[in-house]
Amino acid sequence: MTTTEARPAAPAAAGGKHQASDKSRSEARLAWLLAGPAFAVMLLVTAYPILQAFYESLFDYRLTDPANRSFTGLSNYGVILTDPVWWDAFGVTVLITVVTVAVELVLGFALALVMVQALKALRPILRAAILIPYAVITVVSAFAWQFAFAPDSGFVNSWFSFVGLAPDTDWFGSPGSAIFVICLAEIWKTTPFISLLLLAGLAQVPEVLQEAAKVDGATWWQRMRKVTIPNMKAAIMVALLFRTLDAFRVFDSVYVMTAGANGTEVLSFLAYRQTIARLEIGLGSAVSVLLFISVVLICGLFIKGFKVDLSQARGE
């Protein structure tokens, strides 16, 4: 009797699976139709410059002497990778990236917790206030921080004279203090971006898990480690990835504050200096290609390191 009733159910299950498969294929086809044009345009405007830069990097080519352009293969890459200037710029870029992203992650998480736990009536005001620095254009922000720390027009030296700062302290005269100011400007500008992404992650943590942990007697720190952070893994990965890529390509703050002087040159500024200032199209293109490869490697490391499947995070 049981067997007789169970057998008719098999074709129904197979039919449901078949229907679900058809529905999935139909949704995938619709997704490609909707996103295809935008994807093609994006590929065109991003792939073409990259391929053009790689092509130019294979030549010894100066805009001041276009007649003597010659094919040199990968020799430009050999010149760059054996030059200490590249590795100094790489080290400064990594230092700024690590410091700013680490500090922004901690501050952004704290701001996200404040926004979550604030009174409902105060949340819009808090979000607007926290977002103000991110709304400021990066160049304007860099000029503001440069004026604040300049020995002639700045107020920082006079305000903090009680800690021993001389009125003529030149913050941009040495690598350590100049990088400190650049990091400060970047942290002030982009911490709201990370806090917003983490706020979205906090909203996805099931409240029932928090309540169950409280009932079991878990402390605030234990709930944070065992419940909150594991359920925010996808949001943390996205926030760190986006911000790391952004910090690794830092340019505006360095250009405005120091113009790459006093040991503050980063990779983006090195590419600009070779291509625009020195008109070395071949070398500048090779620096740009290496910078692009570095960004791709960072993406791969984050995705592999976090082992997050964003489709599963969406519940698919």
Side-chain angles (χ1 to χ4, degrees), residues 229-248:
I229 292 179
N231 282 284
M232 290 180 60
K233 200 173 177 183
I236 292 173
M237 191 273 284
V238 171
L240 284 179
L241 177 60
F242 281 11
R243 184 58 197 124
T244 300
L245 296 181
D246 194 34
F248 200 79

Side-chain angles (χ1 to χ4, degrees), residues 19-35 316:
Q19 288 176 358
S21 178
D22 287 345
K23 182 181 178 183
S24 177
R25 280 198 294 269
S26 175
E27 288 180 348
R29 192 161 47 248
L30 178 62
W32 274 108
L33 287 175
L34 294 175
E316 295 178 0

Side-chain angles (χ1 to χ4, degrees), residues 8-239:
K17 185 177 179 181
H18 181 68
Q19 288 176 358
S21 178
D22 287 345
K23 182 181 178 183
S24 177
R25 280 198 294 269
S26 175
E27 288 180 348
R29 192 161 47 248
L30 178 62
W32 274 108
L33 287 175
L34 294 175
F39 181 73
V41 172
M42 189 179 70
L43 194 65
L44 187 67
V45 298
T46 55
Y48 174 73
I50 293 169
L51 294 175
Q52 182 69 25
F54 178 71
Y55 175 75
E56 297 291 351
S57 70
L58 303 178
F59 290 86
D60 180 10
Y61 177 36
R62 296 182 182 182
L63 277 182
T64 54
D65 189 17
N68 287 325
R69 171 174 169 154
S70 59
F71 180 79
T72 57
L74 299 176
S75 64
N76 281 333
Y77 294 94
V79 171
I80 292 168
L81 293 175
T82 55
D83 195 323
V85 173
W86 160 266
W87 293 108
D88 290 344
F90 185 82
V92 173
T93 305
V94 171
L95 176 64
I96 291 176
T97 302
V98 171
V99 171
T100 55
V101 173
V103 175
E104 286 171 19
L105 179 64
V106 176
L107 292 180
F109 196 77
L111 289 174
L113 287 175
V114 169
M115 285 190 281
V116 163
Q117 296 177 1
L119 294 175
K120 192 175 180 180
L122 293 178
R123 284 178 192 168
I125 301 172
L126 269 177
R127 288 175 188 171
I130 289 172
L131 275 176
I132 287 175
Y134 193 61
V136 178
I137 298 171
T138 307
V139 174
V140 176
S141 164
F143 271 115
W145 282 91
Q146 187 202 30
F147 287 139
F149 281 86
D152 50 353
S153 61
F155 56 85
V156 172
N157 289 345
S158 58
W159 281 17
F160 294 93
S161 58
F162 65 92
V163 295
L165 281 180
D168 58 347
T169 300
D170 185 5
W171 288 87
F172 304 108
S174 63
S177 56
I179 290 175
F180 170 75
V181 178
I182 291 170
C183 290
L184 210 55
E186 290 289 312
I187 291 168
W188 178 82
K189 173 78 174 62
T190 51
T191 295
F193 174 71
I194 281 195
S195 69
L196 273 185
L197 291 178
L198 295 179
L199 178 63
L202 277 173
Q204 293 179 350
V205 178
E207 189 62 29
V208 63
L209 294 181
Q210 298 280 12
E211 295 298 329
K214 284 181 184 176
V215 171
D216 288 342
T219 63
W220 179 86
W221 178 242
Q222 287 172 331
R223 294 199 305 274
M224 184 63 64
R225 285 194 307 117
K226 302 292 185 182
V227 178
T228 305
I229 292 179
N231 282 284
M232 290 180 60
K233 200 173 177 183
I236 292 173
M237 191 273 284
V238 171

